[in-house]
């Protein structure tokens, strides 16, 4: 059996490095143009080159999104950009539009092409069509069940890879083709500018009574009728593999490095546990519990088993659940005196109980008993963002480990 690929979002270079350190086999990222996350930091070409070097040195891959649905003017400069991506040695580009696909094939004919979920691939004939054009991987539409994905895999060439989203925010519209943002804010979701209008709070207005708002109430604060739960398939690794999914895609280029590390770590551990003994694999709730230490909405399995219903929506709130906070990032650890250098991310105090975790399954809990600034002068609190502080840590931590605390 071929080992599944764990594919992580990379909103910037820090998140790219975090994703790879915590177990991603590949990352996907957007440049400053042609992608669907206009409000992420995104990468300029020099940062893409640096990310590719970092990934390739660790035998990991980098895919770049070119998945907008472009208008005529959006195509300007694409050929030059593709040549820069080829020079940067990216491993593949992710495309949704046939016109963009044609430009890729004529400009950089040796570039590997993955078909974006924006292309709405829902059947094996469509997948085979794109394979015949030169696509090596299809990111299937999110509206498919596991049985439908297996039907695509069983009826397409063996070397056509299937990628599917397994975790993250769900779109209320069909595979991202939402016009709410366009209509209400003039921000085009299909050109990377979605305002997430589906997360807003709505009321009813009767046609002949303008200005009279009728609240739709599920609770004291009203309801959010388009607001979906987040997708989470960490307890369904075996079903995904048996359906033919090769690449397990995590959504979240706008999310924090802490989110990326936490989610990627859990899926890495779950996939590796499955691979040890596929026939006897049983889901381990530890991995879901760890994911819940990042920010999340309640979870759903989306379309994989049944069509979503009212149980897959969040009617009471659009807020994330946050049970833990990202307190700091370990930069160095002196094993002799057991002192870690930590870059602060949220305020913490002497006396706080915190957890340290890295890519491994274990995490370590301890109370902060001693705290110093970078000059080893005693402190009671670390109040300033990204301040370097020193903490005595009993457990041997490493560069890149994360310190978190219950919210």
């Amino acid at each position: 059996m071929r080992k599944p690929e764990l594919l992580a979002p990379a909103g910037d270079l820090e998140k790219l490095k975090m994703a790879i350190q915590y177990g991603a086999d590949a990352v996907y990222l957007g440049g400053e143009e042609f992608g669907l996350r206009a409000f992420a930091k995104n990468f300029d070409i020099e940062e893409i080159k640096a990310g590719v070097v970092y990934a390739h040195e660790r035998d990991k891959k980098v895919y770049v999104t070119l998945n907008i649905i472009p208008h005529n003017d959006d195509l300007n400069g694409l050929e030059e950009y593709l040549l820069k991506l080829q020079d940067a040695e990216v491993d593949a580009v992710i495309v949704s539009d046939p016109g963009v696909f044609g430009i890729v094939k004529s400009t950089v004919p040796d570039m590997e092409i993955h078909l974006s979920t924006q292309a709405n691939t829902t059947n094996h004939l469509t997948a085979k069509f794109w394979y015949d054009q030169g696509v090596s991987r299809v990111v299937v539409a999110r509206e498919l069940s596991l049985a439908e994905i297996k039907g695509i895999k069983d009826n397409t060439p063996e070397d056509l890879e299937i990628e599917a989203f397994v975790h993250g925010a769900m779109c209320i519209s069909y595979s991202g083709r939402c016009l709410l943002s366009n209509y209400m804010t003039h921000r085009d979701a299909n050109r990377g500018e979605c305002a997430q209008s589906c997360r807003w709070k709505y009321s009813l207005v009767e046609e002949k009574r303008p200005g009279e708002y009728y609240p739709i109430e599920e609770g004291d604060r009203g309801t959010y009728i388009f607001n979906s739960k987040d997708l989470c398939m960490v307890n369904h690794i075996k079903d995904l593999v048996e359906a033919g999914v090769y690449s397990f895609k995590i959504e979240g280029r706008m999310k924090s490095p802490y989110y990326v590390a936490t989610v990627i770590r859990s899926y890495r551990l779950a996939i590796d546990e499955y691979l040890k003994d596929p026939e006897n694999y049983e889901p381990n709730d530890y991995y879901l519990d760890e994911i819940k230490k990042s920010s999340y909405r309640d979870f759903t399995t989306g379309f994989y088993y049944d069509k979503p219903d009212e149980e897959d929506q969040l009617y009471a709130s659009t807020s994330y659940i946050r049970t833990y906070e990202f307190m700091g990032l370990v930069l160095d650890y002196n094993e002799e005196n057991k002192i870690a250098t930590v870059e602060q991310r949220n305020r913490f105090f002497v006396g706080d109980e915190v957890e340290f975790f890295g890519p491994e399954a274990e995490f370590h809990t301890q109370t902060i008993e001693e705290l110093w600034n970078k000059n080893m002068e005693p402190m009671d609190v670390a109040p300033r963002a990204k301040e370097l502080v020193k903490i005595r840590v009993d457990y041997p931590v490493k560069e890149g480990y994360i310190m978190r605390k219950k919210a």
Side-chain angles (χ1 to χ4, degrees):
M1 180 183 63
R2 190 180 181 192
K3 180 183 177 182
E5 175 186 81
L6 179 57
L7 178 56
D12 57 32
L13 196 55
E14 180 187 23
K15 295 172 191 176
L16 179 149
K17 293 178 178 179
M18 188 74 75
I20 288 173
Q21 180 175 350
Y22 278 78
D25 299 302
V27 298
Y28 64 101
L29 57 87
E32 294 177 326
E33 297 178 276
F34 309 114
L36 280 178
R37 289 294 179 269
F39 302 113
K41 283 187 177 179
N42 293 322
F43 289 68
D44 62 30
I45 195 65
E46 294 305 317
E47 289 170 328
I48 290 175
K49 289 179 179 179
V52 170
V53 169
Y54 183 89
H56 286 181
E57 285 176 347
R58 292 156 180 81
D59 295 321
K60 310 299 182 182
K61 294 184 177 182
V62 175
Y63 311 139
V64 175
T65 59
L66 303 175
N67 56 345
I68 62 168
I69 299 174
H71 294 228
N72 290 330
D73 291 344
D74 296 322
L75 298 172
N76 295 334
L78 179 55
E79 291 92 342
E80 293 84 355
Y81 183 60
L82 285 166
L83 291 171
K84 291 177 182 179
L85 294 181
Q86 179 176 253
D87 181 62
E89 299 184 359
V90 302
D91 296 282
V93 292
I94 305 169
V95 170
S96 62
D97 179 74
V100 173
F101 177 87
I103 294 174
V104 174
K105 292 296 288 183
S106 62
T107 307
V108 285
D110 295 329
M111 180 70 73
E112 184 174 330
I113 302 176
H114 298 172
L115 188 69
S116 171
T117 191
Q118 291 290 113
N120 306 119
T121 302
T122 57
N123 64 77
H124 64 90
L125 292 176
T126 301
K128 177 62 164 55
F129 167 85
W130 283 110
Y131 174 84
D132 290 341
Q133 309 312 307
V135 162
S136 63
R137 177 184 298 187
V138 169
V139 189
V140 294
R142 302 189 200 198
E143 293 75 26
L144 297 184
S145 67
L146 288 171
E148 289 174 309
I149 293 173
K150 189 174 189 306
I152 292 174
K153 184 60 182 173
D154 289 347
N155 290 281
T156 52
E158 183 67 27
D159 59 339
L160 178 63
E161 296 172 347
I162 301 296
E163 178 179 309
F165 281 94
V166 300
H167 192 93
M170 295 287 283
C171 183
I172 192 65
S173 185
Y174 194 91
S175 282
R177 290 178 175 265
C178 184
L179 296 178
L180 278 178
S181 179
N182 256 13
Y183 182 76
M184 302 177 77
T185 69
H186 305 292
R187 282 165 45 178
D188 192 340
N190 295 312
R191 295 160 85 185
E193 300 174 348
C194 183
Q196 295 206 16
S197 309
C198 57
R199 307 292 182 191
W200 298 353
K201 183 177 177 180
Y202 290 90
S203 297
L204 286 175
V205 176
E206 200 276 326
E207 179 182 9
K208 296 181 180 180
R209 295 174 173 81
E212 294 185 32
Y213 296 94
Y214 299 87
I216 313 167
E217 291 192 359
E218 293 284 337
D220 293 340
R221 292 187 297 169
T223 189
Y224 301 79
I225 56 178
F226 301 125
N227 189 35
S228 172
K229 293 182 179 179
D230 283 354
L231 178 66
C232 180
M233 291 291 286
V234 75
N235 280 341
H236 307 278
I237 302 298
K238 185 175 183 179
D239 290 348
L240 288 163
V241 173
E242 291 180 351
V245 176
Y246 165 66
S247 183
F248 289 29
K249 189 170 193 173
I250 310 296
E251 182 273 340
R253 278 188 282 153
M254 302 284 284
K255 300 293 180 66
S256 70
Y258 172 63
Y259 173 93
V260 171
T262 304
V263 173
I264 292 299
R265 171 175 172 264
S266 285
Y267 276 88
R268 174 79 279 149
L269 294 171
I271 291 169
D272 289 350
E273 185 172 329
Y274 165 78
L275 291 172
K276 289 177 184 175
D277 188 3
E279 294 301 318
N280 298 303
Y281 171 77
E282 293 291 337
N284 185 340
D285 283 338
Y286 170 80
Y287 306 132
L288 179 59
D289 292 340
E290 285 296 291
I291 284 174
K292 288 181 177 180
K293 292 181 179 180
S294 65
S295 61
Y296 70 99
R297 301 178 184 94
D298 285 332
F299 290 127
T300 174
T301 55
F303 289 79
Y304 281 122
Y305 295 99
D306 295 293
K307 294 287 178 68
D309 58 21
E310 66 275 6
E311 295 301 317
D312 298 282
Q313 297 295 111
L314 289 171
Y315 297 117
S317 172
T318 189
S319 300
Y320 284 101
I321 299 168
R322 291 181 174 88
T323 59
Y324 277 73
E325 293 180 350
F326 179 20
M327 308 310 296
L329 181 68
V330 175
L331 301 182
D332 181 61
Y333 182 71
N334 187 315
E335 293 192 24
E336 185 176 343
N337 58 23
K338 296 185 177 181
I339 291 180
T341 302
V342 175
E343 183 182 80
Q344 186 259 37
R345 293 302 176 93
N346 279 293
R347 186 171 62 166
F348 56 88
F349 297 81
V350 170
D352 283 348
E353 184 177 84
V354 297
E355 294 178 2
F356 288 90
F357 74 94
E360 302 84 7
E362 301 81 12
F363 64 85
H364 172 69
T365 303
Q366 75 164 62
T367 300
I368 298 177
E369 297 178 348
E370 296 175 279
L371 178 64
W372 302 271
N373 64 20
K374 63 181 180 181
N375 299 317
M376 291 304 293
E377 298 167 338
M379 305 170 65
D380 293 324
V381 57
R384 287 178 288 277
K386 294 201 172 184
E387 179 181 16
L388 298 187
V389 298
K390 307 280 187 176
I391 304 171
R392 193 178 304 281
V393 182
D394 299 331
Y395 182 83
V397 294
K398 299 176 184 176
E399 180 184 358
Y401 276 40
I402 285 174
M403 185 175 81
R404 66 190 176 196
K405 185 183 78 169
K406 283 187 178 180

